[in-house]
Amino acid sequence: MHLLALLPVTLLQAPLVLAEPVNSSPFYNERRAIANSPSGNYAPAIVNCPAVKPSVRVAGSLASEETAWLQLRRKATLDPMIAFLKRVNIAGFDAESYVKKDQPNIALAVSGGGYRALMNGAGFLAAADSRTTGNTDQGISGLLQASTYLAGLSGGGWLVTSIFANNFSSVETLRNGRDGSSLWQFANSIFVGPKQKGISILNTASYWTDVAGQVERKDDAGFQTSLTDYWGRALSYQLIDAPDGGPAYTFSSIAQDDLFSKAQTPLPILVADGRAPNTKIVSLNATVYEFNPFEMGSWDPSIFGFVPTKYLASNFSGGVIPDGGRCVQGFDQAGYVAGTSSTLFNQFLLSNLSTVANVPEFVIKAITGLLKDLDEDNNDIAQYVPNPFLGWNNATNPSAHDIELDLVDGGEDLQNIPLHPLLQPIRKVDVIFAVDSSADTTFNWPNGTALRASYDRQFSSIANGTLFPPVPDASTFINLNLNSRPAFFGCDVKNFSLSGSQSAPPLVVYIPNAPYTAFSNVSTFDPSYTDAERNDIIRNGFDSATQGNGTLDAQWPTCVACAVLSRSLARTGTAVPSACADCFSRYCWNGTLDSVDKGPYKPTFKIRDGTTKAQSGASSSRMLSSILSFPLAVVAALLGGGLLLLA
Ligand SMILES: *[C@@H]1O[C@H](CO)[C@@H](O)[C@H](O)[C@H]1NC(C)=O
Ligand SMILES: *[C@@H]1O[C@H](CO)[C@@H](O)[C@H](O)[C@H]1NC(C)=O
Ligand SMILES: *[C@@H]1O[C@H](CO)[C@@H](O)[C@H](O)[C@H]1NC(C)=O
Ligand SMILES: *[C@@H]1O[C@H](CO)[C@@H](O)[C@H](O)[C@H]1NC(C)=O
Ligand SMILES: *[C@@H]1O[C@H](CO)[C@@H](O)[C@H](O)[C@H]1NC(C)=O
Ligand SMILES: *[C@@H]1O[C@H](CO)[C@@H](O)[C@H](O)[C@H]1NC(C)=O
Ligand SMILES: *[C@@H]1O[C@H](CO)[C@@H](O)[C@H](O)[C@H]1NC(C)=O
Ligand SMILES: *[C@@H]1O[C@H](CO)[C@@H](O)[C@H](O)[C@H]1NC(C)=O
Ligand SMILES: *[C@@H]1O[C@H](CO)[C@@H](O)[C@H](O)[C@H]1NC(C)=O
Ligand SMILES: *[C@@H]1O[C@H](CO)[C@@H](O)[C@H](O)[C@H]1NC(C)=O
Ligand SMILES: *[C@@H]1O[C@H](CO)[C@@H](O)[C@H](O)[C@H]1NC(C)=O
């Protein structure tokens, strides 16, 4: 075939071509977590208590499982970190011998924002992942392999859940899906359900009948159900590549995964907020809970305790399971945990389901019936009954005397990036890559609100001394481009006034959602995306993470490496290499303010025009001319990269 004939076709249709499933590797079916719910279905089950009954532990230390796992993980991250640091080649700096003496501790955090956050976050992770086809030895490849923690919240939590519920599959694998699988098939809205063989009218009906049947099993087994169960079940069909959305997959089963238990993956963490009984408002002083494969609980002084995730819904009382109290497993279903972190979408389900054709009447009745006991304002809660922290920390725990613990979307306190677990001094994180897909502005772009919330929270007693770097007001974010390109916060450790044993908080590398090659600012409540739109937004996230494969800043990977090293250099009193000093002068916010509101924020493409939701009919001649005006190397990269992947 002539190259010229190939060029426009490949470039214009690249997303579509690449959307074709790479196709069922015979192993693909095995790329899942473990369906270990003892009931074999969605219902939790009462089990014999182990000889040493599960209990609540005081949050004064890390979980012993996490401590043991970290010993393996820190070792496993060393080689990828050395490989990355050597590749970016910081002049005059011997990265290998340096990190062997003092190894930085890297965390990644993916914000909420529905499918937008899932897709944009996915683009970042694809860039950070050395397994992504064509991504070895370039950009920020290997950062994922060098990271210790990966936190997700709401839509970002869907991403993290999907990766780990599918045996740490890469973004590329998840995106490509598999024949006959509904994994990441966002063109079929979550309300309509997956496309199956046969008549589509029946599909929506049978999908919702299945969902309702699974939730009913939980109810029949004597466990309280809520809208979050329906939402979490529906999500699972798109996130977990197993029949019927893997009803028996638990979040705690991740701890038993091959790759995770050998510390070949980061530690996944999901975040939700506590809502005090008889209140509606979730303010910045709400208790922040985390779920990880080992434990669920909170570092905040209000709770300051953790239970084994695997035993959620056991009869904890005063931190122990009293005589006659039962042990339960299978409550921590993966989709339910993802749904708990994203209860904002309960309302989305409630208000949209009745407008969808062929949803059986009994399903609508079941869902609206759930609201009879609660009032409408309570539809956004995930109910944890019995409350694992019943009678625990009575003096400060708002739900100490309630059999029910209510959890809500982790972003309801405005901390829409899951930074909280990563700011805990006990975890000793040095740098957080914070991918923000929040819709703060009129046109669904972030303006730093999530960071300001985490900054403000440190002044409340609930923060118990955790610190956060100073960040400016929204207008400054916009006017200084801090929300349209990466920005570092808290670069100078000497600018923190530390008392006693306090140490400086992690350096925050802010990676805001911005239009590099696509308008990735789709509405939070847009339920469906064609494969092309999905791929464009993932690629835009990739372009953000790599600064357009270096076209915007060839030094960007070096600057990422410098951010990784920053806290360590201060800790060991090592002089900052000049390449890093240059990076810090360009990416660190230096305290300057420009607080003038200059009207609506309407960014234009940072790199080039791309296909977008709004512009899917973009004329091919315009596309072609903008592509042809590209430097040859980029066209070559597009062709190569495009054929390989993420175009
Ligand atoms: C998980 O993935 C790893 C590496 O890709 C593979 O070796 C292992 O067999 C997989 N496990 C399961 C249960 O699919
Ligand atoms: C949290 O803040 C609200 C006001 O936003 C206040 O009414 C409440 O007492 C505070 N709670 C705690 C525990 O500080
Ligand atoms: C606050 O955190 C410290 C550890 O930094 C812990 O020892 C202390 O118990 C915490 N206080 C409360 C009230 O949780
Ligand atoms: C255990 O929890 C269940 C569900 O909340 C409750 O019905 C039961 O009474 C509890 N049993 C004990 C012994 O606390
Ligand atoms: C779907 O839900 C969203 C969020 O609750 C709401 O804004 C929108 O109007 C709903 N759409 C329909 C068709 O009901
Ligand atoms: C905490 O409150 C529960 C009642 O909700 C009570 O049974 C228990 O004794 C209290 N614990 C302490 C240590 O006061
Ligand atoms: C920033 O975002 C918040 C919502 O998170 C919004 O209320 C505020 O108006 C925005 N400000 C600017 C200047 O964009
Ligand atoms: C601080 O940053 C602003 C804009 O980002 C720049 O104009 C200014 O020169 C910088 N100040 C110093 C002292 O580097
Ligand atoms: C240094 O700290 C002060 C006080 O918290 C703060 O106002 C300023 O913005 C900080 N500077 C930077 C660059 O973070
Ligand atoms: C996306 O942002 C652009 C401006 O940057 C705006 O014109 C467009 O309307 C926005 N789209 C949505 C869905 O908000
Ligand atoms: C960067 O590389 C990726 C993967 O090869 C490709 O999909 C993307 O289009 C490239 N971006 C630019 C701006 O060339």
Side-chain angles (χ1 to χ4, degrees), residues 268-307:
I269 304 177
L270 261 55
V271 166
D273 293 340
R275 194 163 86 172
N278 311 313
T279 64
K280 303 282 160 63
I281 307 295
V282 174
S283 56
L284 202 46
N285 61 16
T287 300
V288 177
Y289 289 82
E290 75 169 58
F291 292 82
N292 67 55
F294 305 125
E295 297 190 318
M296 177 271 189
S298 180
W299 303 100
D300 288 340
S302 47
I303 296 290
F304 210 61
F306 286 90
V307 287

mmCIF file of all heavy atoms in Angstrom, residues 268-307:
data_model
loop_
_atom_site.group_PDB
_atom_site.id
_atom_site.type_symbol
_atom_site.label_atom_id
_atom_site.label_comp_id
_atom_site.label_asym_id
_atom_site.label_seq_id
_atom_site.Cartn_x
_atom_site.Cartn_y
_atom_site.Cartn_z
ATOM 1 N N PRO A 268 -3.401 -0.467 46.058
ATOM 2 C CA PRO A 268 -4.575 0.325 45.666
ATOM 3 C C PRO A 268 -5.343 0.816 46.898
ATOM 4 O O PRO A 268 -5.498 0.072 47.873
ATOM 5 C CB PRO A 268 -5.424 -0.680 44.880
ATOM 6 C CG PRO A 268 -5.075 -2.017 45.465
ATOM 7 C CD PRO A 268 -3.633 -1.919 45.917
ATOM 8 N N ILE A 269 -5.787 2.054 46.846
ATOM 9 C CA ILE A 269 -6.558 2.634 47.955
ATOM 10 C C ILE A 269 -7.743 3.398 47.374
ATOM 11 O O ILE A 269 -7.581 4.168 46.422
ATOM 12 C CB ILE A 269 -5.708 3.630 48.787
ATOM 13 C CG1 ILE A 269 -4.431 2.962 49.301
ATOM 14 C CG2 ILE A 269 -6.521 4.188 49.938
ATOM 15 C CD1 ILE A 269 -3.499 3.912 50.062
ATOM 16 N N LEU A 270 -8.931 3.169 47.915
ATOM 17 C CA LEU A 270 -10.105 3.960 47.544
ATOM 18 C C LEU A 270 -10.539 4.803 48.738
ATOM 19 O O LEU A 270 -10.311 4.399 49.894
ATOM 20 C CB LEU A 270 -11.264 3.049 47.099
ATOM 21 C CG LEU A 270 -11.426 2.910 45.580
ATOM 22 C CD1 LEU A 270 -10.152 2.455 44.905
ATOM 23 C CD2 LEU A 270 -12.566 1.960 45.234
ATOM 24 N N VAL A 271 -11.153 5.937 48.465
ATOM 25 C CA VAL A 271 -11.496 6.881 49.527
ATOM 26 C C VAL A 271 -12.997 7.180 49.539
ATOM 27 O O VAL A 271 -13.625 7.302 48.484
ATOM 28 C CB VAL A 271 -10.690 8.199 49.341
ATOM 29 C CG1 VAL A 271 -11.234 9.318 50.200
ATOM 30 C CG2 VAL A 271 -9.213 7.960 49.651
ATOM 31 N N ALA A 272 -13.567 7.256 50.731
ATOM 32 C CA ALA A 272 -14.965 7.686 50.904
ATOM 33 C C ALA A 272 -15.035 8.590 52.134
ATOM 34 O O ALA A 272 -14.126 8.572 52.970
ATOM 35 C CB ALA A 272 -15.884 6.476 51.089
ATOM 36 N N ASP A 273 -16.097 9.385 52.234
ATOM 37 C CA ASP A 273 -16.266 10.257 53.395
ATOM 38 C C ASP A 273 -17.326 9.690 54.326
ATOM 39 O O ASP A 273 -18.290 9.069 53.872
ATOM 40 C CB ASP A 273 -16.743 11.650 52.962
ATOM 41 C CG ASP A 273 -15.699 12.397 52.156
ATOM 42 O OD1 ASP A 273 -14.504 12.045 52.236
ATOM 43 O OD2 ASP A 273 -16.087 13.342 51.442
ATOM 44 N N GLY A 274 -17.160 9.949 55.605
ATOM 45 C CA GLY A 274 -18.195 9.567 56.567
ATOM 46 C C GLY A 274 -19.253 10.650 56.647
ATOM 47 O O GLY A 274 -18.946 11.834 56.500
ATOM 48 N N ARG A 275 -20.511 10.243 56.817
ATOM 49 C CA ARG A 275 -21.548 11.252 57.051
ATOM 50 C C ARG A 275 -22.180 10.975 58.401
ATOM 51 O O ARG A 275 -22.701 9.885 58.637
ATOM 52 C CB ARG A 275 -22.594 11.234 55.955
ATOM 53 C CG ARG A 275 -23.434 12.492 56.027
ATOM 54 C CD ARG A 275 -24.203 12.721 54.763
ATOM 55 N NE ARG A 275 -25.445 12.009 54.796
ATOM 56 C CZ ARG A 275 -26.393 12.151 53.874
ATOM 57 N NH1 ARG A 275 -26.205 12.945 52.853
ATOM 58 N NH2 ARG A 275 -27.508 11.493 53.967
ATOM 59 N N ALA A 276 -22.115 11.967 59.259
ATOM 60 C CA ALA A 276 -22.605 11.786 60.620
ATOM 61 C C ALA A 276 -24.109 11.521 60.608
ATOM 62 O O ALA A 276 -24.823 12.023 59.737
ATOM 63 C CB ALA A 276 -22.279 13.023 61.441
ATOM 64 N N PRO A 277 -24.602 10.715 61.558
ATOM 65 C CA PRO A 277 -26.036 10.411 61.614
ATOM 66 C C PRO A 277 -26.862 11.694 61.674
ATOM 67 O O PRO A 277 -26.451 12.669 62.313
ATOM 68 C CB PRO A 277 -26.186 9.623 62.926
ATOM 69 C CG PRO A 277 -24.828 9.122 63.249
ATOM 70 C CD PRO A 277 -23.859 10.083 62.652
ATOM 71 N N ASN A 278 -27.995 11.670 61.019
ATOM 72 C CA ASN A 278 -28.945 12.790 61.011
ATOM 73 C C ASN A 278 -28.370 14.098 60.487
ATOM 74 O O ASN A 278 -28.778 15.176 60.898
ATOM 75 C CB ASN A 278 -29.519 13.030 62.426
ATOM 76 C CG ASN A 278 -30.015 11.743 63.038
ATOM 77 O OD1 ASN A 278 -30.727 10.975 62.378
ATOM 78 N ND2 ASN A 278 -29.622 11.472 64.272
ATOM 79 N N THR A 279 -27.389 14.008 59.626
ATOM 80 C CA THR A 279 -26.903 15.228 58.985
ATOM 81 C C THR A 279 -26.929 15.019 57.483
ATOM 82 O O THR A 279 -26.932 13.888 57.008
ATOM 83 C CB THR A 279 -25.452 15.578 59.399
ATOM 84 O OG1 THR A 279 -24.599 14.535 58.943
ATOM 85 C CG2 THR A 279 -25.303 15.743 60.891
ATOM 86 N N LYS A 280 -26.945 16.100 56.764
ATOM 87 C CA LYS A 280 -26.981 16.022 55.302
ATOM 88 C C LYS A 280 -25.693 16.564 54.708
ATOM 89 O O LYS A 280 -25.260 16.149 53.657
ATOM 90 C CB LYS A 280 -28.166 16.841 54.756
ATOM 91 C CG LYS A 280 -29.519 16.416 55.308
ATOM 92 C CD LYS A 280 -30.036 15.150 54.648
ATOM 93 C CE LYS A 280 -31.089 14.426 55.466
ATOM 94 N NZ LYS A 280 -32.303 15.209 55.670
ATOM 95 N N ILE A 281 -25.133 17.523 55.413
ATOM 96 C CA ILE A 281 -23.964 18.211 54.869
ATOM 97 C C ILE A 281 -22.688 17.434 55.189
ATOM 98 O O ILE A 281 -22.496 16.987 56.309
ATOM 99 C CB ILE A 281 -23.840 19.630 55.497
ATOM 100 C CG1 ILE A 281 -25.144 20.402 55.337
ATOM 101 C CG2 ILE A 281 -22.661 20.390 54.887
ATOM 102 C CD1 ILE A 281 -25.531 20.713 53.917
ATOM 103 N N VAL A 282 -21.868 17.273 54.171
ATOM 104 C CA VAL A 282 -20.548 16.694 54.401
ATOM 105 C C VAL A 282 -19.556 17.838 54.279
ATOM 106 O O VAL A 282 -19.340 18.372 53.201
ATOM 107 C CB VAL A 282 -20.244 15.601 53.367
ATOM 108 C CG1 VAL A 282 -18.817 15.096 53.514
ATOM 109 C CG2 VAL A 282 -21.223 14.443 53.534
ATOM 110 N N SER A 283 -19.016 18.269 55.406
ATOM 111 C CA SER A 283 -18.105 19.408 55.334
ATOM 112 C C SER A 283 -16.664 18.922 55.386
ATOM 113 O O SER A 283 -16.392 17.731 55.452
ATOM 114 C CB SER A 283 -18.396 20.409 56.450
ATOM 115 O OG SER A 283 -18.318 19.754 57.696
ATOM 116 N N LEU A 284 -15.775 19.896 55.370
ATOM 117 C CA LEU A 284 -14.355 19.572 55.278
ATOM 118 C C LEU A 284 -13.863 18.847 56.524
ATOM 119 O O LEU A 284 -12.811 18.214 56.499
ATOM 120 C CB LEU A 284 -13.570 20.871 55.057
ATOM 121 C CG LEU A 284 -12.192 20.781 54.436
ATOM 122 C CD1 LEU A 284 -12.164 19.864 53.233
ATOM 123 C CD2 LEU A 284 -11.723 22.173 54.066
ATOM 124 N N ASN A 285 -14.640 18.918 57.611
ATOM 125 C CA ASN A 285 -14.203 18.195 58.798
ATOM 126 C C ASN A 285 -14.847 16.808 58.898
ATOM 127 O O ASN A 285 -14.823 16.174 59.940
ATOM 128 C CB ASN A 285 -14.436 19.025 60.078
ATOM 129 C CG ASN A 285 -15.912 19.353 60.278
ATOM 130 O OD1 ASN A 285 -16.770 18.734 59.660
ATOM 131 N ND2 ASN A 285 -16.201 20.304 61.159
ATOM 132 N N ALA A 286 -15.404 16.317 57.801
ATOM 133 C CA ALA A 286 -15.914 14.945 57.780
ATOM 134 C C ALA A 286 -14.746 13.969 57.937
ATOM 135 O O ALA A 286 -13.628 14.263 57.528
ATOM 136 C CB ALA A 286 -16.626 14.674 56.460
ATOM 137 N N THR A 287 -15.045 12.827 58.518
ATOM 138 C CA THR A 287 -14.025 11.783 58.627
ATOM 139 C C THR A 287 -13.772 11.196 57.244
ATOM 140 O O THR A 287 -14.712 10.888 56.509
ATOM 141 C CB THR A 287 -14.520 10.673 59.571
ATOM 142 O OG1 THR A 287 -14.775 11.237 60.853
ATOM 143 C CG2 THR A 287 -13.484 9.557 59.704
ATOM 144 N N VAL A 288 -12.508 11.051 56.880
ATOM 145 C CA VAL A 288 -12.167 10.446 55.593
ATOM 146 C C VAL A 288 -11.767 8.982 55.832
ATOM 147 O O VAL A 288 -10.898 8.699 56.658
ATOM 148 C CB VAL A 288 -11.013 11.210 54.901
ATOM 149 C CG1 VAL A 288 -10.622 10.518 53.601
ATOM 150 C CG2 VAL A 288 -11.431 12.656 54.625
ATOM 151 N N TYR A 289 -12.464 8.093 55.135
ATOM 152 C CA TYR A 289 -12.194 6.654 55.262
ATOM 153 C C TYR A 289 -11.405 6.176 54.058
ATOM 154 O O TYR A 289 -11.535 6.723 52.958
ATOM 155 C CB TYR A 289 -13.511 5.870 55.327
ATOM 156 C CG TYR A 289 -14.265 6.055 56.616
ATOM 157 C CD1 TYR A 289 -15.082 7.164 56.831
ATOM 158 C CD2 TYR A 289 -14.152 5.114 57.653
ATOM 159 C CE1 TYR A 289 -15.765 7.339 58.026
ATOM 160 C CE2 TYR A 289 -14.840 5.279 58.848
ATOM 161 C CZ TYR A 289 -15.644 6.393 59.031
ATOM 162 O OH TYR A 289 -16.313 6.561 60.212
ATOM 163 N N GLU A 290 -10.621 5.138 54.250
ATOM 164 C CA GLU A 290 -9.970 4.513 53.105
ATOM 165 C C GLU A 290 -10.255 3.014 53.098
ATOM 166 O O GLU A 290 -10.482 2.399 54.138
ATOM 167 C CB GLU A 290 -8.450 4.750 53.112
ATOM 168 C CG GLU A 290 -7.674 3.919 54.122
ATOM 169 C CD GLU A 290 -6.152 4.001 53.886
ATOM 170 O OE1 GLU A 290 -5.605 5.113 53.905
ATOM 171 O OE2 GLU A 290 -5.528 2.924 53.715
ATOM 172 N N PHE A 291 -10.275 2.471 51.896
ATOM 173 C CA PHE A 291 -10.348 1.025 51.695
ATOM 174 C C PHE A 291 -9.053 0.611 51.010
ATOM 175 O O PHE A 291 -8.689 1.174 49.983
ATOM 176 C CB PHE A 291 -11.487 0.647 50.740
ATOM 177 C CG PHE A 291 -12.868 0.878 51.274
ATOM 178 C CD1 PHE A 291 -13.452 2.135 51.236
ATOM 179 C CD2 PHE A 291 -13.613 -0.180 51.796
ATOM 180 C CE1 PHE A 291 -14.739 2.345 51.707
ATOM 181 C CE2 PHE A 291 -14.903 0.019 52.274
ATOM 182 C CZ PHE A 291 -15.466 1.286 52.233
ATOM 183 N N ASN A 292 -8.369 -0.351 51.576
ATOM 184 C CA ASN A 292 -7.284 -0.975 50.835
ATOM 185 C C ASN A 292 -7.496 -2.480 50.953
ATOM 186 O O ASN A 292 -8.400 -2.910 51.665
ATOM 187 C CB ASN A 292 -5.907 -0.461 51.326
ATOM 188 C CG ASN A 292 -5.572 -0.895 52.739
ATOM 189 O OD1 ASN A 292 -5.582 -2.091 53.052
ATOM 190 N ND2 ASN A 292 -5.263 0.072 53.609
ATOM 191 N N PRO A 293 -6.728 -3.303 50.245
ATOM 192 C CA PRO A 293 -7.035 -4.743 50.267
ATOM 193 C C PRO A 293 -6.937 -5.360 51.667
ATOM 194 O O PRO A 293 -7.544 -6.395 51.922
ATOM 195 C CB PRO A 293 -5.968 -5.339 49.344
ATOM 196 C CG PRO A 293 -5.583 -4.215 48.435
ATOM 197 C CD PRO A 293 -5.680 -2.985 49.271
ATOM 198 N N PHE A 294 -6.202 -4.719 52.557
ATOM 199 C CA PHE A 294 -6.049 -5.256 53.902
ATOM 200 C C PHE A 294 -7.087 -4.720 54.867
ATOM 201 O O PHE A 294 -7.623 -5.465 55.681
ATOM 202 C CB PHE A 294 -4.653 -4.914 54.460
ATOM 203 C CG PHE A 294 -3.510 -5.357 53.587
ATOM 204 C CD1 PHE A 294 -2.561 -4.430 53.164
ATOM 205 C CD2 PHE A 294 -3.374 -6.681 53.196
ATOM 206 C CE1 PHE A 294 -1.482 -4.820 52.363
ATOM 207 C CE2 PHE A 294 -2.306 -7.081 52.394
ATOM 208 C CZ PHE A 294 -1.364 -6.146 51.975
ATOM 209 N N GLU A 295 -7.338 -3.416 54.777
ATOM 210 C CA GLU A 295 -8.089 -2.763 55.839
ATOM 211 C C GLU A 295 -9.019 -1.678 55.326
ATOM 212 O O GLU A 295 -8.798 -1.099 54.272
ATOM 213 C CB GLU A 295 -7.119 -2.043 56.790
ATOM 214 C CG GLU A 295 -6.167 -2.914 57.516
ATOM 215 C CD GLU A 295 -5.455 -2.119 58.593
ATOM 216 O OE1 GLU A 295 -5.074 -0.961 58.323
ATOM 217 O OE2 GLU A 295 -5.309 -2.633 59.703
ATOM 218 N N MET A 296 -10.004 -1.381 56.153
ATOM 219 C CA MET A 296 -10.879 -0.233 55.925
ATOM 220 C C MET A 296 -10.967 0.522 57.250
ATOM 221 O O MET A 296 -11.066 -0.095 58.319
ATOM 222 C CB MET A 296 -12.261 -0.743 55.501
ATOM 223 C CG MET A 296 -13.285 0.334 55.310
ATOM 224 S SD MET A 296 -14.147 0.655 56.878
ATOM 225 C CE MET A 296 -15.424 1.734 56.306
ATOM 226 N N GLY A 297 -10.899 1.837 57.168
ATOM 227 C CA GLY A 297 -10.996 2.629 58.392
ATOM 228 C C GLY A 297 -10.492 4.031 58.151
ATOM 229 O O GLY A 297 -10.495 4.509 57.013
ATOM 230 N N SER A 298 -10.072 4.707 59.221
ATOM 231 C CA SER A 298 -9.656 6.099 59.076
ATOM 232 C C SER A 298 -8.497 6.449 59.997
ATOM 233 O O SER A 298 -8.424 5.984 61.138
ATOM 234 C CB SER A 298 -10.826 7.038 59.380
ATOM 235 O OG SER A 298 -10.404 8.380 59.222
ATOM 236 N N TRP A 299 -7.621 7.302 59.460
ATOM 237 C CA TRP A 299 -6.498 7.848 60.232
ATOM 238 C C TRP A 299 -6.933 9.064 61.040
ATOM 239 O O TRP A 299 -6.185 9.550 61.880
ATOM 240 C CB TRP A 299 -5.365 8.277 59.291
ATOM 241 C CG TRP A 299 -4.858 7.197 58.400
ATOM 242 C CD1 TRP A 299 -5.178 6.997 57.080
ATOM 243 C CD2 TRP A 299 -3.953 6.143 58.727
ATOM 244 N NE1 TRP A 299 -4.520 5.895 56.590
ATOM 245 C CE2 TRP A 299 -3.752 5.351 57.574
ATOM 246 C CE3 TRP A 299 -3.268 5.777 59.905
ATOM 247 C CZ2 TRP A 299 -2.925 4.232 57.550
ATOM 248 C CZ3 TRP A 299 -2.436 4.677 59.879
ATOM 249 C CH2 TRP A 299 -2.271 3.905 58.711
ATOM 250 N N ASP A 300 -8.113 9.588 60.750
ATOM 251 C CA ASP A 300 -8.559 10.800 61.434
ATOM 252 C C ASP A 300 -8.805 10.500 62.917
ATOM 253 O O ASP A 300 -9.238 9.400 63.264
ATOM 254 C CB ASP A 300 -9.850 11.329 60.793
ATOM 255 C CG ASP A 300 -9.591 11.950 59.425
ATOM 256 O OD1 ASP A 300 -8.428 12.313 59.153
ATOM 257 O OD2 ASP A 300 -10.548 12.066 58.639
ATOM 258 N N PRO A 301 -8.561 11.510 63.777
ATOM 259 C CA PRO A 301 -8.698 11.262 65.217
ATOM 260 C C PRO A 301 -10.131 10.881 65.628
ATOM 261 O O PRO A 301 -10.320 10.256 66.663
ATOM 262 C CB PRO A 301 -8.267 12.588 65.856
ATOM 263 C CG PRO A 301 -8.266 13.580 64.747
ATOM 264 C CD PRO A 301 -8.047 12.841 63.479
ATOM 265 N N SER A 302 -11.121 11.230 64.819
ATOM 266 C CA SER A 302 -12.507 10.869 65.143
ATOM 267 C C SER A 302 -12.690 9.348 65.220
ATOM 268 O O SER A 302 -13.444 8.847 66.041
ATOM 269 C CB SER A 302 -13.448 11.456 64.090
ATOM 270 O OG SER A 302 -12.944 11.184 62.795
ATOM 271 N N ILE A 303 -12.021 8.623 64.361
ATOM 272 C CA ILE A 303 -12.111 7.161 64.315
ATOM 273 C C ILE A 303 -10.787 6.537 64.747
ATOM 274 O O ILE A 303 -10.722 5.730 65.662
ATOM 275 C CB ILE A 303 -12.481 6.670 62.883
ATOM 276 C CG1 ILE A 303 -13.874 7.154 62.480
ATOM 277 C CG2 ILE A 303 -12.395 5.149 62.797
ATOM 278 C CD1 ILE A 303 -15.021 6.486 63.231
ATOM 279 N N PHE A 304 -9.733 6.893 64.063
ATOM 280 C CA PHE A 304 -8.392 6.413 64.389
ATOM 281 C C PHE A 304 -8.369 4.895 64.589
ATOM 282 O O PHE A 304 -7.884 4.365 65.587
ATOM 283 C CB PHE A 304 -7.842 7.133 65.629
ATOM 284 C CG PHE A 304 -6.344 7.265 65.636
ATOM 285 C CD1 PHE A 304 -5.697 7.971 64.641
ATOM 286 C CD2 PHE A 304 -5.575 6.677 66.639
ATOM 287 C CE1 PHE A 304 -4.306 8.088 64.641
ATOM 288 C CE2 PHE A 304 -4.181 6.786 66.646
ATOM 289 C CZ PHE A 304 -3.551 7.492 65.639
ATOM 290 N N GLY A 305 -8.942 4.193 63.612
ATOM 291 C CA GLY A 305 -8.976 2.736 63.713
ATOM 292 C C GLY A 305 -9.233 2.095 62.362
ATOM 293 O O GLY A 305 -9.730 2.746 61.430
ATOM 294 N N PHE A 306 -8.889 0.840 62.266
ATOM 295 C CA PHE A 306 -9.078 0.072 61.026
ATOM 296 C C PHE A 306 -9.589 -1.327 61.337
ATOM 297 O O PHE A 306 -9.197 -1.928 62.335
ATOM 298 C CB PHE A 306 -7.746 -0.047 60.265
ATOM 299 C CG PHE A 306 -7.333 1.220 59.583
ATOM 300 C CD1 PHE A 306 -6.545 2.154 60.248
ATOM 301 C CD2 PHE A 306 -7.746 1.495 58.292
ATOM 302 C CE1 PHE A 306 -6.172 3.342 59.623
ATOM 303 C CE2 PHE A 306 -7.380 2.675 57.658
ATOM 304 C CZ PHE A 306 -6.593 3.595 58.324
ATOM 305 N N VAL A 307 -10.461 -1.838 60.446
ATOM 306 C CA VAL A 307 -10.894 -3.247 60.517
ATOM 307 C C VAL A 307 -10.390 -3.965 59.264
ATOM 308 O O VAL A 307 -10.176 -3.337 58.232
ATOM 309 C CB VAL A 307 -12.433 -3.393 60.551
ATOM 310 C CG1 VAL A 307 -12.984 -2.972 61.887
ATOM 311 C CG2 VAL A 307 -13.097 -2.647 59.415
#
